[in-house]
mmCIF file of all heavy atoms in Angstrom:
data_model
loop_
_atom_site.group_PDB
_atom_site.id
_atom_site.type_symbol
_atom_site.label_atom_id
_atom_site.label_comp_id
_atom_site.label_asym_id
_atom_site.label_seq_id
_atom_site.Cartn_x
_atom_site.Cartn_y
_atom_site.Cartn_z
ATOM 1 N N VAL A 389 8.681 -48.846 16.509
ATOM 2 C CA VAL A 389 8.628 -49.613 17.764
ATOM 3 C C VAL A 389 8.870 -51.106 17.531
ATOM 4 O O VAL A 389 8.682 -51.627 16.408
ATOM 5 C CB VAL A 389 7.263 -49.420 18.494
ATOM 6 C CG1 VAL A 389 7.029 -47.957 18.813
ATOM 7 C CG2 VAL A 389 6.126 -49.999 17.668
ATOM 8 N N CYS A 390 9.238 -51.788 18.589
ATOM 9 C CA CYS A 390 9.450 -53.231 18.601
ATOM 10 C C CYS A 390 8.132 -53.942 18.337
ATOM 11 O O CYS A 390 7.138 -53.641 18.996
ATOM 12 C CB CYS A 390 10.043 -53.611 19.948
ATOM 13 S SG CYS A 390 9.981 -55.405 20.280
ATOM 14 N N PRO A 391 8.106 -54.881 17.368
ATOM 15 C CA PRO A 391 6.834 -55.564 17.077
ATOM 16 C C PRO A 391 6.397 -56.507 18.199
ATOM 17 O O PRO A 391 5.241 -56.940 18.225
ATOM 18 C CB PRO A 391 7.163 -56.378 15.801
ATOM 19 C CG PRO A 391 8.632 -56.505 15.772
ATOM 20 C CD PRO A 391 9.200 -55.320 16.508
ATOM 21 N N HIS A 392 7.291 -56.797 19.139
ATOM 22 C CA HIS A 392 6.924 -57.730 20.218
ATOM 23 C C HIS A 392 6.340 -57.002 21.432
ATOM 24 O O HIS A 392 5.403 -57.472 22.043
ATOM 25 C CB HIS A 392 8.160 -58.540 20.662
ATOM 26 C CG HIS A 392 8.848 -59.210 19.509
ATOM 27 N ND1 HIS A 392 8.239 -60.268 18.836
ATOM 28 C CD2 HIS A 392 10.023 -58.950 18.859
ATOM 29 C CE1 HIS A 392 9.083 -60.655 17.861
ATOM 30 N NE2 HIS A 392 10.136 -59.845 17.858
ATOM 31 N N CYS A 393 6.944 -55.836 21.797
ATOM 32 C CA CYS A 393 6.492 -55.181 23.038
ATOM 33 C C CYS A 393 6.097 -53.718 22.821
ATOM 34 O O CYS A 393 5.778 -53.046 23.783
ATOM 35 C CB CYS A 393 7.551 -55.309 24.112
ATOM 36 S SG CYS A 393 8.984 -54.243 23.823
ATOM 37 N N ASN A 394 6.139 -53.212 21.582
ATOM 38 C CA ASN A 394 5.772 -51.825 21.272
ATOM 39 C C ASN A 394 6.674 -50.755 21.903
ATOM 40 O O ASN A 394 6.327 -49.582 21.917
ATOM 41 C CB ASN A 394 4.328 -51.515 21.680
ATOM 42 C CG ASN A 394 3.326 -52.175 20.759
ATOM 43 O OD1 ASN A 394 3.650 -52.368 19.558
ATOM 44 N ND2 ASN A 394 2.187 -52.542 21.273
ATOM 45 N N SER A 395 7.818 -51.182 22.419
ATOM 46 C CA SER A 395 8.735 -50.177 22.974
ATOM 47 C C SER A 395 9.494 -49.492 21.864
ATOM 48 O O SER A 395 9.867 -50.146 20.846
ATOM 49 C CB SER A 395 9.703 -50.853 23.932
ATOM 50 O OG SER A 395 10.741 -49.964 24.247
ATOM 51 N N SER A 396 9.775 -48.196 22.014
ATOM 52 C CA SER A 396 10.562 -47.503 21.023
ATOM 53 C C SER A 396 12.037 -47.479 21.421
ATOM 54 O O SER A 396 12.879 -46.883 20.756
ATOM 55 C CB SER A 396 10.046 -46.089 20.804
ATOM 56 O OG SER A 396 9.948 -45.428 22.028
ATOM 57 N N ASN A 397 12.347 -48.153 22.517
ATOM 58 C CA ASN A 397 13.731 -48.218 23.010
ATOM 59 C C ASN A 397 14.487 -49.338 22.333
ATOM 60 O O ASN A 397 14.588 -50.422 22.861
ATOM 61 C CB ASN A 397 13.670 -48.395 24.545
ATOM 62 C CG ASN A 397 15.078 -48.386 25.126
ATOM 63 O OD1 ASN A 397 16.076 -48.160 24.434
ATOM 64 N ND2 ASN A 397 15.151 -48.624 26.437
ATOM 65 N N SER A 398 14.991 -49.045 21.130
ATOM 66 C CA SER A 398 15.715 -50.106 20.400
ATOM 67 C C SER A 398 16.955 -49.508 19.740
ATOM 68 O O SER A 398 17.052 -48.285 19.581
ATOM 69 C CB SER A 398 14.817 -50.744 19.350
ATOM 70 O OG SER A 398 14.490 -49.808 18.384
ATOM 71 N N HIS A 450 17.573 -54.325 17.737
ATOM 72 C CA HIS A 450 17.550 -55.004 19.033
ATOM 73 C C HIS A 450 16.708 -54.189 20.002
ATOM 74 O O HIS A 450 16.914 -52.985 20.137
ATOM 75 C CB HIS A 450 18.980 -55.157 19.568
ATOM 76 C CG HIS A 450 18.986 -55.775 20.958
ATOM 77 N ND1 HIS A 450 18.812 -57.133 21.125
ATOM 78 C CD2 HIS A 450 19.114 -55.223 22.174
ATOM 79 C CE1 HIS A 450 18.837 -57.385 22.430
ATOM 80 N NE2 HIS A 450 19.022 -56.253 23.109
ATOM 81 N N CYS A 451 15.725 -54.825 20.631
ATOM 82 C CA CYS A 451 14.855 -54.104 21.561
ATOM 83 C C CYS A 451 15.526 -54.130 22.936
ATOM 84 O O CYS A 451 15.810 -55.188 23.482
ATOM 85 C CB CYS A 451 13.496 -54.754 21.619
ATOM 86 S SG CYS A 451 12.437 -54.016 22.863
ATOM 87 N N ASN A 452 15.757 -52.929 23.487
ATOM 88 C CA ASN A 452 16.377 -52.836 24.781
ATOM 89 C C ASN A 452 15.385 -53.071 25.914
ATOM 90 O O ASN A 452 15.768 -53.148 27.074
ATOM 91 C CB ASN A 452 17.035 -51.460 24.988
ATOM 92 C CG ASN A 452 18.100 -51.226 23.909
ATOM 93 O OD1 ASN A 452 18.799 -52.148 23.473
ATOM 94 N ND2 ASN A 452 18.192 -49.968 23.458
ATOM 95 N N ASN A 453 14.148 -53.196 25.540
ATOM 96 C CA ASN A 453 13.104 -53.413 26.550
ATOM 97 C C ASN A 453 12.875 -54.898 26.763
ATOM 98 O O ASN A 453 12.968 -55.416 27.873
ATOM 99 C CB ASN A 453 11.819 -52.724 26.146
ATOM 100 C CG ASN A 453 10.746 -52.779 27.219
ATOM 101 O OD1 ASN A 453 11.022 -52.521 28.392
ATOM 102 N ND2 ASN A 453 9.567 -53.195 26.830
ATOM 103 N N CYS A 454 12.622 -55.656 25.664
ATOM 104 C CA CYS A 454 12.323 -57.087 25.806
ATOM 105 C C CYS A 454 13.463 -57.972 25.333
ATOM 106 O O CYS A 454 13.366 -59.205 25.364
ATOM 107 C CB CYS A 454 11.004 -57.448 25.067
ATOM 108 S SG CYS A 454 11.174 -57.414 23.281
ATOM 109 N N ASP A 455 14.571 -57.350 24.870
ATOM 110 C CA ASP A 455 15.780 -58.058 24.529
ATOM 111 C C ASP A 455 15.667 -58.930 23.237
ATOM 112 O O ASP A 455 16.522 -59.723 22.968
ATOM 113 C CB ASP A 455 16.243 -58.954 25.697
ATOM 114 C CG ASP A 455 17.709 -58.769 25.964
ATOM 115 O OD1 ASP A 455 18.261 -57.697 25.555
ATOM 116 O OD2 ASP A 455 18.338 -59.693 26.503
ATOM 117 N N LYS A 456 14.572 -58.738 22.468
ATOM 118 C CA LYS A 456 14.440 -59.531 21.248
ATOM 119 C C LYS A 456 15.072 -58.802 20.081
ATOM 120 O O LYS A 456 15.127 -57.557 20.053
ATOM 121 C CB LYS A 456 12.963 -59.803 20.986
ATOM 122 C CG LYS A 456 12.335 -60.795 21.925
ATOM 123 C CD LYS A 456 10.999 -61.293 21.414
ATOM 124 C CE LYS A 456 10.478 -62.441 22.243
ATOM 125 N NZ LYS A 456 9.286 -62.041 23.030
ATOM 126 N N PHE A 458 14.809 -58.077 15.909
ATOM 127 C CA PHE A 458 13.786 -58.126 14.859
ATOM 128 C C PHE A 458 14.252 -57.344 13.640
ATOM 129 O O PHE A 458 15.129 -56.462 13.774
ATOM 130 C CB PHE A 458 12.448 -57.583 15.361
ATOM 131 C CG PHE A 458 12.536 -56.193 15.956
ATOM 132 C CD1 PHE A 458 12.257 -55.085 15.171
ATOM 133 C CD2 PHE A 458 12.870 -56.006 17.278
ATOM 134 C CE1 PHE A 458 12.320 -53.813 15.706
ATOM 135 C CE2 PHE A 458 12.923 -54.734 17.805
ATOM 136 C CZ PHE A 458 12.642 -53.638 17.049
HETATM 137 ZN ZN1 ZN B 84 10.493 -55.297 22.615
#
Side-chain angles (χ1 to χ4, degrees):
V389 301
C390 165
H392 307 291
C393 73
N394 287 330
S395 168
S396 52
N397 183 4
S398 65
H450 177 78
C451 175
N452 301 325
N453 186 48
C454 72
D455 227 24
K456 288 195 171 111
F458 55 94

